[in-house]
Amino acid sequence: MKLGIALSGGGIRGIAHAGVLKALEENNIKIDIIGGCSSGSIIASLYAMGYKPDYIFMIFKKNAKQIAKLNSKPFLVGLKNSIFKNKKITGLKDGKEIENLCNKMALRKQIMKISDVTMPLVIPSVDITESKEYIFTNKVPENAVDNSQYITDASIGKAVRASSSFPAVFSPCVIKKHAFLDGGVLDNIPVNEVKKQGADKIIAVKFDSEKIDNKSNIMDIIMKTIDIMGSKISEESLEMSDLVLNVYTDKVGLLNVKKLDSCYKYGYNAVIENIDKIKKLYH
């Protein structure tokens, strides 16, 4: 029996996935196939390359502030320039920090391309020029309807950067003719793609959409908007999973790096609280 896990996006909250994987390992639950979107793609790729959850947490924590640090130039200024001066639309960051970090970790494992990864791995992204989902993976599924949808020759860094290019926070990730944005725009939990890789049972890990109130900032509003847009597709994905692990994160903002330790514990505790269900599923 092959067990797959699909990790959702969620900004800084994504570190909770490392806590989930840590708790699963401690309970001898072996993951055979993994997929992740946006920040979930960072955790998924590192785990697929052979890094342990504790070490992933350390990497994430060490680099989170730099990755989350926004440029001083506002997005709206960039948008204004693009309209009135015929310049390209850019986000607040180009995402190279994420790409360089993931490529660095891949090289330590002698991995040059995503196809070099042994564990089945899927990382969704969306080409905004085509309004189409693409999947970065080390294995094109046998039952694929459209082989051109799968990209196997990209570096780990490019794949993660493409999936993590959150609208209005990061610029689109340009690869050849494509301009990629966060995979969560279409499907924030890649259950279907994990299933296509041969998973018999799938655990979907998600976060509750945070409520918007008078304390919410612009990033919270953008995140909520994307949650709403992708909610129908996400619901369909969750229905295909065998167990939905909902991680409570106590209103952690998209880029709130101060809550990293808490999020890691939230992910760990979510597994412990549901360990009987998970073991029943696994066996």
Side-chain angles (χ1 to χ4, degrees):
M1 196 275 283
K2 291 184 178 180
L3 181 63
I5 190 165
L7 311 179
S8 71
I12 289 300
R13 294 180 296 175
I15 193 56
H17 296 313
V20 167
L21 294 170
K22 170 71 171 175
L24 290 174
E25 282 196 352
E26 286 185 352
N27 284 275
N28 299 313
I29 307 295
K30 180 179 178 290
I31 299 298
D32 300 292
I33 301 164
I34 193 166
C37 185
S38 195
S39 58
S41 73
I42 301 176
I43 309 302
S45 62
L46 290 170
Y47 192 73
M49 288 191 290
Y51 288 101
K52 290 293 185 181
D54 279 341
Y55 193 65
I56 293 173
F57 174 57
M58 185 184 75
I59 295 168
F60 204 101
K61 191 172 182 179
K62 182 179 179 181
N63 295 277
K65 286 185 179 180
Q66 180 59 34
I67 291 172
K69 184 180 179 182
L70 298 179
N71 292 342
S72 57
K73 181 180 178 181
F75 171 71
L76 292 178
V77 172
L79 182 59
K80 179 181 177 182
N81 287 339
S82 72
I83 295 172
F84 294 104
K85 298 181 182 180
N86 197 30
K87 293 184 177 180
K88 293 181 180 179
I89 297 177
T90 60
L92 297 176
K93 289 182 74 66
D94 57 21
K96 286 184 178 178
E97 293 94 343
I98 294 175
E99 179 179 350
N100 293 339
L101 171 62
C102 290
N103 280 340
K104 178 182 176 182
M105 302 312 299
L107 284 174
R108 289 184 183 178
K109 297 286 186 178
Q110 298 183 319
I111 292 171
M112 301 300 294
K113 303 282 186 181
I114 192 170
S115 57
D116 296 328
V117 179
T118 302
M119 183 180 188
L121 169 66
V122 293
I123 298 174
S125 189
V126 176
D127 185 333
I128 59 170
T129 63
E130 300 179 45
S131 300
K132 178 180 176 180
E133 183 180 42
Y134 282 83
I135 310 298
F136 293 88
T137 183
N138 48 355
K139 177 189 173 187
V140 177
E142 295 178 1
N143 58 347
V145 176
D146 179 9
N147 283 8
S148 67
Q149 182 185 14
Y150 296 90
I151 299 173
T152 60
D153 61 349
S155 68
I156 287 288
K158 279 290 187 188
V160 171
R161 178 181 170 187
S163 186
S164 303
S165 294
F166 193 84
V169 177
F170 292 98
S171 306
C173 177
V174 177
I175 303 176
K176 297 179 181 179
K177 64 177 183 177
H178 304 289
F180 289 112
L181 278 181
D182 194 311
V185 172
L186 283 182
D187 186 7
N188 200 32
I189 314 167
V191 174
N192 190 33
E193 291 301 327
V194 170
K195 191 176 186 66
K196 288 179 183 178
Q197 292 291 332
D200 299 300
K201 299 288 184 178
I202 302 173
I203 299 172
V205 186
K206 64 178 285 287
F207 306 105
D208 276 336
S209 178
E210 301 291 359
K211 294 181 179 179
I212 298 300
D213 54 30
N214 58 2
K215 296 180 181 179
S216 301
N217 59 32
I218 186 63
M219 291 296 103
D220 296 328
I221 294 171
I222 292 171
M223 187 69 182
K224 182 68 174 183
T225 302
I226 291 177
D227 282 345
I228 293 170
M229 289 190 296
S231 61
K232 184 63 178 178
I233 298 175
S234 292
E235 285 175 12
E236 293 172 357
S237 292
L238 293 174
E239 287 176 2
M240 286 187 284
S241 66
D242 297 279
L243 178 67
V244 178
L245 199 63
N246 195 68
V247 180
Y248 169 77
T249 55
D250 192 23
K251 202 170 175 59
V252 174
L254 181 69
L255 302 174
N256 190 350
V257 295
K258 295 180 180 179
K259 297 288 186 72
L260 285 172
D261 292 281
S262 297
C263 286
Y264 183 70
K265 292 176 182 176
Y266 289 142
Y268 183 92
N269 290 337
V271 170
I272 300 305
E273 291 166 4
N274 292 276
I275 195 59
D276 290 338
K277 293 180 182 178
I278 296 171
K279 285 184 175 180
K280 185 178 179 180
L281 175 73
Y282 187 64
H283 297 292

